[in-house]
């Protein structure tokens, strides 16, 4: 790949040139790769790193002041950084960077990001997002300091996206078939959600790839950092993911915010609303008959134990059949079976069920919002 560095970000440009000339990046790995999002490198600890070694915290021992201004089109070079309250001025890592892959955006999605104050897009920028793609969720949060001018296809290869062309010849006749192949992210993707009441580890399901990939993208971009659980009902569920909840005033009505898009439903009988289930919130059937999910809002089930008669009633009402394992989980752990087949379940809390109980026990107001905010400090991919 050949990369052109921007003159408009002189601190980042000079630092990157210095590190390149010193050979700092030689033999380092791309240690974080997420298809349709980005490829990240520049951690000096990745040189010769053993398989399974946790990477992403290394650097040269200094940071760079933010020079934020350019959008995250496909092929842009941007500086990684720490997120959340530990880095309010958005200073960049001294060495870690990422190259954007992203995906094509729609006007509706761009309008959503613009409404959230991410960026005011001109026509040329909109057209670029709609043709080559990118990750507008990161705009105004990270410093973009260059772009790939030759070798965009290398980003796709590293990210696991390939265009395969098959040419069949017989005499003078030639038949060509071309297909795009995307290698899925690793199975058993784990997300850590750190809250003011403790940490939960969540496994995302591969059987719900649209929801899995969207949640990964939002978590990695810092979308959920500093949001609150704005709707908490003990014995039912805890809900978060509304971007309007960041810094929301007491008594502010919440629950309608999002990234400007919805996700097609991925409802399956395999996964149910047992305690710890991660599910996508959505608008009701009257305005949303296809049961499309919110682009960002989610809930985690607490629920209550259910007896066999209740489960049999749900099976008959919904035309489903619970496995013996799911029945056992409903009768011992509990859950909310009346939500099954109505909302997309796309993950499960594997560690931290007690944190759900702590959050659910919060004293709430008339709108079910905790009187003392329960914040998501950080949500990140850990595997």
């Amino acid at each position: 790949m050949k990369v052109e560095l921007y003159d408009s970000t002189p601190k980042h440009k000079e630092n990157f040139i210095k590190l390149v000339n010193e050979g700092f990046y030689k033999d380092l790995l791309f240690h974080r790769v997420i298809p349709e999002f980005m490829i990240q490198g520049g951690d000096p600890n990745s040189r010769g790193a053993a398989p399974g070694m946790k990477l992403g915290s290394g650097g040269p021992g200094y940071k760079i002041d933010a020079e934020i201004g350019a959008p995250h089109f496909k092929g842009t070079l941007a500086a990684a950084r720490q997120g959340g309250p530990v880095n309010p001025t958005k200073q960049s890592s001294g060495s870690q960077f990422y190259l954007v892959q992203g995906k094509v955006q729609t006007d509706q999605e761009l309008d959503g990001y613009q409404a959230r104050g991410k960026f005011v897009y001109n026509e040329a920028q909109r057209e670029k997002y709609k043709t080559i793609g990118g990750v507008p969720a990161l705009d105004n949060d990270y410093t973009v300091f260059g772009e790939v001018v030759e070798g965009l296809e290398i980003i796709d290869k590293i990210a696991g996206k390939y265009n395969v062309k098959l040419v069949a010849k017989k005499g003078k006749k030639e038949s060509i078939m071309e297909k795009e192949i995307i290698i899925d992210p690793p199975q058993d993707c784990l997300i850590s959600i750190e809250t003011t009441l403790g940490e939960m580890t969540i496994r995302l399901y591969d059987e719900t790839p649209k929801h899995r990939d969207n949640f990964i993208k939002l978590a990695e971009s810092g979308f959920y950092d500093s949001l609150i659980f704005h709707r908490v009902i003990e014995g039912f569920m805890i809900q978060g993911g509304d971007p309007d909840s960041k810094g929301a005033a007491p008594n502010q009505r919440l629950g309608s915010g999002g990234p400007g898009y919805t996700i097609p439903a991925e409802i399956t009988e395999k996964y149910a609303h047992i305690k710890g289930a991660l599910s996508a919130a959505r608008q009701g059937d009257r305005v949303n008959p296809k049961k499309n999910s919110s682009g960002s809002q989610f809930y985690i089930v607490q629920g209550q134990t259910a007896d066999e008669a209740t489960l049999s009633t749900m099976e008959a009402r919904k035309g489903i059949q619970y496995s013996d394992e799911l029945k056992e989980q409903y009768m011992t752990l509990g859950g909310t079976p009346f939500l099954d087949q109505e909302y997309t379940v796309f993950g499960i809390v594997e560690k931290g069920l007690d944190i759900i109980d702590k959050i659910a026990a919060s004293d709430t107001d008339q709108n079910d919002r905790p009187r003392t905010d329960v914040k998501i400090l950080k949500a990140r991919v850990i595997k």
Side-chain angles (χ1 to χ4, degrees):
M1 288 179 283
K2 290 185 179 178
V3 177
E4 179 182 320
L5 303 180
Y6 296 155
D7 290 333
S8 57
T9 53
K11 294 172 185 172
H12 287 73
K13 177 180 178 179
E14 291 168 11
N15 180 71
F16 200 74
I17 291 172
K18 181 192 77 168
L19 294 180
V20 169
N21 287 337
E22 291 173 352
F24 182 94
Y25 292 113
K26 185 179 179 181
D27 297 326
L28 301 191
L29 305 177
F30 282 98
H31 63 273
R32 177 178 286 173
V33 173
I34 303 176
E36 296 191 334
F37 184 40
M38 60 89 204
I39 60 175
Q40 182 173 337
D43 181 348
N45 297 331
S46 70
R47 184 180 288 111
M53 179 178 172
K54 192 167 184 178
L55 299 170
S57 59
Y62 58 84
K63 297 178 181 178
I64 308 169
D65 291 338
E67 297 176 298
I68 294 171
H72 283 75
F73 303 128
K74 180 177 181 179
T76 48
L77 171 68
R81 66 173 180 84
Q82 287 184 300
V86 298
N87 185 18
T89 58
K90 303 181 182 180
Q91 286 183 309
S92 301
S93 163
S95 63
Q96 289 196 47
F97 64 88
Y98 58 91
L99 291 160
V100 174
Q101 185 188 39
K103 59 183 179 180
V104 172
Q105 305 292 316
T106 65
D107 275 317
Q108 181 186 13
E109 290 169 328
L110 294 172
D111 287 343
Y113 289 118
Q114 189 162 300
R116 284 172 46 211
K118 299 296 290 183
F119 216 88
V120 178
Y121 301 107
N122 60 39
E123 286 305 312
Q125 290 168 334
R126 282 179 172 268
E127 189 61 28
K128 200 164 183 178
Y129 266 131
K130 291 190 292 182
T131 52
I132 70 166
V135 187
L138 301 179
D139 289 344
N140 251 355
D141 281 319
Y142 295 79
T143 297
V144 175
F145 64 99
E147 64 183 87
V148 173
V149 293
E150 187 178 321
L152 272 178
E153 73 279 1
I154 305 302
I155 297 176
D156 292 335
K157 288 181 179 179
I158 295 172
K161 181 178 179 182
Y162 300 84
N163 282 310
V164 178
K165 183 183 286 186
L166 176 65
V167 180
K169 294 183 178 180
K170 185 177 182 181
K172 294 184 178 180
K173 292 184 178 181
E174 181 176 275
S175 178
I176 300 176
M177 182 177 72
E178 189 168 355
K179 186 175 182 180
E180 180 180 270
I181 296 177
I182 297 177
I183 298 175
D184 291 332
Q187 292 185 347
D188 295 331
C189 177
L190 297 180
I191 299 283
S192 167
I193 297 182
E194 297 179 27
T195 79
T196 48
L197 291 180
E199 182 178 357
M200 294 176 281
T201 300
I202 298 175
R203 175 166 59 90
L204 303 182
Y205 295 142
D206 288 328
E207 291 85 349
T208 51
K210 293 184 177 70
H211 288 72
R212 176 200 63 198
D213 294 349
N214 181 70
F215 201 78
I216 289 172
K217 177 188 77 173
L218 294 180
E220 286 296 291
S221 69
F223 181 96
Y224 292 116
D225 298 356
S226 299
L227 303 192
I228 67 172
F229 284 95
H230 64 272
R231 185 171 177 238
V232 170
I233 304 175
E234 191 167 17
F236 182 32
M237 59 88 222
I238 60 175
Q239 183 172 337
D242 181 349
D244 296 337
S245 71
K246 184 179 290 184
N251 300 318
Q252 180 179 333
R253 195 71 181 264
L254 300 169
S256 60
Y261 58 84
T262 58
I263 308 169
E266 296 179 299
I267 297 171
T268 171
E269 282 189 32
K270 183 176 180 180
Y271 299 117
H273 284 79
I274 60 173
K275 182 176 182 179
L278 171 69
S279 302
R282 66 175 180 87
Q283 290 183 299
D285 288 353
R286 184 174 296 180
V287 296
N288 181 24
K290 294 183 178 180
K291 306 183 193 299
N292 289 340
S293 301
S294 163
S296 63
Q297 289 197 45
F298 63 89
Y299 60 92
I300 301 173
V301 174
Q302 185 188 39
Q304 301 176 18
T305 55
D307 58 28
E308 196 158 356
T310 298
L311 297 176
S312 295
T313 300
M314 290 298 164
E315 286 178 321
R317 182 183 299 170
K318 296 174 179 292
I320 60 175
Q321 186 169 358
Y322 291 120
S323 66
D324 290 340
E325 181 183 4
L326 281 177
K327 286 182 179 179
E328 181 67 20
Q329 289 172 322
Y330 266 132
M331 290 188 288
T332 54
L333 280 176
T336 53
F338 57 89
L339 297 180
D340 291 339
Q341 300 302 298
E342 301 294 335
Y343 297 78
T344 297
V345 177
F346 64 100
I348 188 73
V349 173
E350 294 208 325
K351 183 180 179 182
L353 284 176
D354 59 313
I355 305 305
I356 301 173
D357 295 333
K358 288 181 181 179
I359 297 172
S362 300
D363 181 34
T364 56
D365 63 17
Q366 68 274 15
N367 295 316
D368 301 317
R369 175 178 167 179
R371 297 184 188 279
T372 300
D373 286 344
V374 180
K375 285 187 179 181
I376 297 173
L377 300 176
K378 184 169 68 173
R380 292 291 184 272
V381 176
I382 57 176
K383 177 184 176 184

